[in-house]
Amino acid sequence: MKFSYKKLAMGVLASVMLAGAASAGELLVYSSTDADNLKYYMDNFQKDNPDIKVKVVRESTGTMAAKMMAEKDNPQADVLFEMAATVALNMETQGMFHPYTPKGMDKIDQRYVDKEGEVNWVGNYGWAGCICWNTVEAKKLGLPKPKSWADLTNPVYKGLISMPNPNSSGTGFLDVSSWIQVMGEDAAWDYMDALHKNIGVYTHSGSKPCKQSGSGEFPIGISWPGRAIKIIKAGAPMEMIIPEEGIGWEMQVVAIMKGTKNLEDSKRLIDWTLGRGMELFGERQSIIADTSKITPDPELPNFFKEVNAKLIDNKFAWAAANKDRIVKKWKERYDGKTEPKK
């Protein structure tokens, strides 16, 4: 059956809401993952399950989360397909997910598994933190190459580092929340005080600091590995550094929505994400729940192993519950160096 994929404006979203949830043999899927990846995955699920008609609504994480909370007492979607865990887990606390243990869950990295009572969600893939290092600009300035997060507080880097703002960037928040987990709260805020002295700008995009490093605007950018690899492969004089202390990370999760009228087909989609879906994720993602399914880049064969080896044991439920508090405190202390919003 034909797969229908639309990025809907809010007016159309309202009509979807009024139309009611999908019926048996039809799935209404909500998502906030990248549009091109989403279409690729849903096209393939449709090919593997031609008897299920799939309708997709995609919005940015914040917009989609607000929509789902507004629909909390009258849920419309059958499945949440890929949303940041630190956002989705707040929905779990509201009882918005239908418990389900998918097939294959015992075979994946258990850091991607809901271990708090009933299984309400499962993680598939994600992204992490890293340091982008411009080798040419660093040599011009005589800068020592950092090996750790702690090294970035060296006064020699004053004004030479860009980093994403955790209020507007998921990458920025995973860095801040991971520093608190690794260092302890008081030590982490002391660390960020020292790091702040060396920050030239806080960006609204998690990718931008790496782009700035690649172009030489800032020799050091705190960003994420997927973006670093693209810039390196494009020919920029840049290296990716995975700090010794470990790197924070975020994962995309899938869940069945409570109240779905098509539970069996919803289960088929969730099961698919840990089977055929995992192979597809491994073609496109740097961090996935089943590392045996990763397709290594022939130009960078050790990249995936290096990144996955340094992922911290992230406490996603804690990060989700404390996000508003952490971001509020961060803004009070450091927001003055944030770039203006366009």
Side-chain angles (χ1 to χ4, degrees), residues 44-293:
N44 276 277
F45 174 74
Q46 188 75 81
K47 290 176 184 176
D48 294 341
N49 298 272
D51 58 317
I52 302 175
K53 183 178 180 181
V54 181
K55 294 182 179 180
V56 179
V57 176
R58 182 206 172 270
E59 288 292 346
S60 65
T61 302
T63 300
M64 182 56 76
K67 171 178 172 55
M68 294 175 72
M69 291 304 295
E71 295 176 2
K72 176 178 175 293
D73 296 327
N74 184 26
Q76 303 301 303
D78 295 295
V79 174
L80 175 62
F81 181 85
E82 314 304 355
M83 175 178 276
T86 50
V87 177
L89 266 60
N90 285 325
M91 298 178 192
E92 180 186 27
T93 65
Q94 299 293 313
M96 295 171 63
F97 299 152
H98 180 93
Y100 178 60
T101 302
K103 297 175 182 177
M105 196 181 73
D106 58 327
K107 297 180 175 64
I108 65 173
D109 185 331
Q110 293 301 291
R111 290 178 293 187
Y112 291 78
V113 172
D114 182 6
K115 297 192 178 89
E116 303 295 326
E118 293 180 300
V119 176
N120 292 303
W121 53 266
V122 63
N124 295 140
Y125 63 87
W127 67 101
C130 76
I131 298 171
C132 299
W133 173 254
N134 188 300
T135 55
V136 171
E137 292 303 314
K139 185 176 181 179
K140 287 180 183 178
L141 297 170
L143 301 176
K145 183 178 177 179
K147 296 181 179 179
S148 65
W149 293 120
D151 288 346
L152 296 184
T153 63
N154 187 333
V156 73
Y157 301 131
K158 185 175 182 179
L160 301 179
I161 303 173
S162 63
M163 172 185 164
N165 182 319
N167 183 50
S168 48
S169 164
T171 303
F173 180 70
L174 70 83
D175 287 323
V176 172
S177 62
S178 69
W179 294 334
I180 292 173
Q181 292 180 63
V182 170
M183 302 176 191
E185 185 127 2
D186 291 342
W189 289 112
D190 288 343
Y191 168 72
M192 285 183 273
D193 286 343
L195 177 64
H196 181 67
K197 296 176 182 177
N198 292 342
I199 296 292
V201 67
Y202 294 108
T203 67
H204 294 295
S205 162
S207 298
K208 189 171 182 178
C210 210
K211 294 177 181 178
Q212 291 173 321
S213 175
S215 68
E217 183 178 353
F218 288 92
I220 302 172
I222 297 174
S223 190
W224 58 286
R227 180 58 59 189
I229 291 307
K230 287 183 180 180
I231 293 172
I232 291 169
K233 291 181 70 172
M238 198 182 79
E239 294 179 10
M240 179 185 72
I241 299 169
I242 304 299
E244 295 172 342
E245 302 97 329
I247 50 178
W249 59 294
E250 175 68 281
M251 67 176 164
Q252 299 275 18
V253 303
V254 294
I256 297 174
M257 301 305 297
K258 188 174 182 179
T260 176
K261 294 180 174 61
N262 191 352
L263 182 58
E264 293 309 309
D265 287 343
S266 296
K267 290 178 179 179
R268 284 170 65 182
L269 175 53
I270 300 299
D271 290 343
W272 179 89
T273 69
L274 295 187
R276 171 58 179 156
M278 196 60 63
E279 296 174 1
L280 300 175
F281 301 150
E283 295 173 2
R284 293 187 164 215
Q285 310 297 336
S286 59
I287 300 170
I288 65 172
D290 184 351
T291 55
S292 70
K293 299 296 193 298

